Amino acid sequence: MFSIILNSVRSYFRSGPNIFMTVFFPVVCVFLLGTFLERIEVSDQAVGELSIVYSSENGDMFSASAFEGFIEGLESENALSAEKVTADEAESFDSSVYSAAVVLDGSDITVFNGTDRIKNRAVKAMFDSYSNTASAYMSAASIDPMAIAAAKPSGEKLVQSKDLGTNRSMMDYYAVTMTVMIMFMGSCISGASSYTEEYDYCTIDRLSVSSVRRLEIYFGKIIGHSPMILIQIASVMLSSTLLFGAEYCRTAGGNILLIAMFISVSFAALAVGVLINLTVPKIPAPAVLSPALWTMMFLSGTFQKNIHVDGLSERLPPYAVQSAAFDLTVFSRPEKAVTVIIVSLAVFAAAVAAGAVKVSFRSKNI
């Protein structure tokens, strides 16, 4: 078995296309996509000045006071300009003059949109935020009204934005997605080409009648691709961080889990590729699998983050792996990564077992 493993490793390093596709190509993609898209993936639409009319005459005393106080606060911060009108006037506001109209009815807030889509979204976001905060306040007051009544302003902000601990960039995005790309492309296609050289050079018959058992040849092929898996993951991650300043996880534990997920997915893709090669021995793997893999990754947002097809993208393996990676790297949430590892190991075990059965009961040519 050792000679088969060694031969697989040598075959990998002897192949110029393999080295280019698994080492240099993803590194170049990280650099080109990360630097180019970082310049253009910015907001190209400014909100501009917001001017609204509002009415609080139909609100209860406490809601109206809080509502007007919120609007006054926005005006003091120059977030918008506001004019108080009646409810009827607000509902028939002049959209050529004002961005939107906001009406308080009891404790409910209704926003009447203007003609500018961007300004509509900005106004809605402001008052959705207020509505959510007011609902939280009322819930707390219903549980312990005395505690709320006794609370005194401290001068500090009660709601603050949370810093995620890093400034994420497009380089970080493509460091993850290009790692995912090379895992699927490199591992699956290499696995699907694992027996190709033996068929091309007519050595498959000699292996079949040699003293080496078929299962040893099979497992030797899988183990022989292990260095390739480690090299391709290391090349992208190290070059992304050391050369291009990309950042994965903020903790050593997070990075270890991320690497474990990448390795487990790579082995699953490899085992599936080998099984395909055993099922269709003379398949031209790059020609057949590459279009399918590229399409999957394209629809998963691997090359452009805005590409997403509802109901389809979520079901694709690259999307699931990327989602788990971003949950781990950006939000330090490990649950999806752990799930991906478990599923990948299950797929690897199932594919290896199916391949072993196919090899064992094959009448000839392994």
Side-chain angles (χ1 to χ4, degrees), residues 87 128 131 141 151-152 163 192 227 253 256 365:
D128 279 351
S131 181
K152 296 181 179 180
D163 183 11
I256 291 173
N365 290 350

Side-chain angles (χ1 to χ4, degrees), residues 9-186:
V9 174
R10 286 174 177 171
S11 297
Y12 169 74
F13 284 104
R14 282 199 304 262
S15 173
N18 281 346
I19 296 295
F20 175 77
M21 287 299 298
T22 59
V23 178
F24 295 107
F25 180 67
V27 172
V28 171
C29 283
V30 171
F31 174 72
L32 292 179
L33 292 174
T35 54
F36 175 68
L37 292 179
E38 190 164 26
R39 298 178 184 273
I40 65 173
E41 288 279 359
V42 294
S43 174
D44 57 358
Q45 294 174 307
V47 174
E49 295 183 2
L50 292 176
S51 178
I52 68 168
V53 294
Y54 72 95
S55 170
S56 59
E57 64 181 11
N58 293 331
D60 59 69
M61 181 177 65
F62 296 107
S63 296
S65 176
F67 178 72
E68 293 182 5
F70 175 70
I71 293 177
E72 290 173 3
L74 292 176
E75 287 187 287
S76 66
E77 295 178 1
N78 297 318
L80 52 72
S81 61
E83 179 182 343
K84 187 175 182 179
V85 296
T86 66
D88 291 337
E89 290 174 331
E91 292 182 17
S92 59
F93 78 103
D94 187 350
S95 60
S96 65
V97 177
Y98 299 100
S99 306
V102 186
V103 176
L104 178 69
D105 186 4
S107 59
D108 296 328
I109 297 174
T110 303
V111 177
F112 295 91
N113 290 330
T115 56
D116 190 304
R117 180 175 58 88
I118 302 301
K119 291 183 179 181
N120 291 339
R121 291 172 59 184
V123 173
K124 183 178 185 302
M126 290 179 182
F127 286 93
D128 279 351
S129 174
Y130 169 78
S131 181
N132 291 335
T133 303
S135 297
Y137 177 90
M138 295 304 295
S139 297
S142 65
I143 296 173
D144 191 352
M146 295 305 297
I148 297 294
K152 296 181 179 180
S154 62
E156 298 180 359
K157 291 184 177 180
L158 299 180
V159 179
Q160 299 179 358
S161 60
K162 184 177 179 181
D163 183 11
L164 293 175
T166 183
N167 294 318
R168 292 296 177 180
S169 67
M170 292 307 298
M171 194 70 76
D172 299 332
Y173 179 85
Y174 284 107
V176 170
T177 59
M178 289 303 101
T179 308
V180 173
M181 178 197 76
I182 200 55
M183 286 190 313
F184 282 95
M185 292 294 294

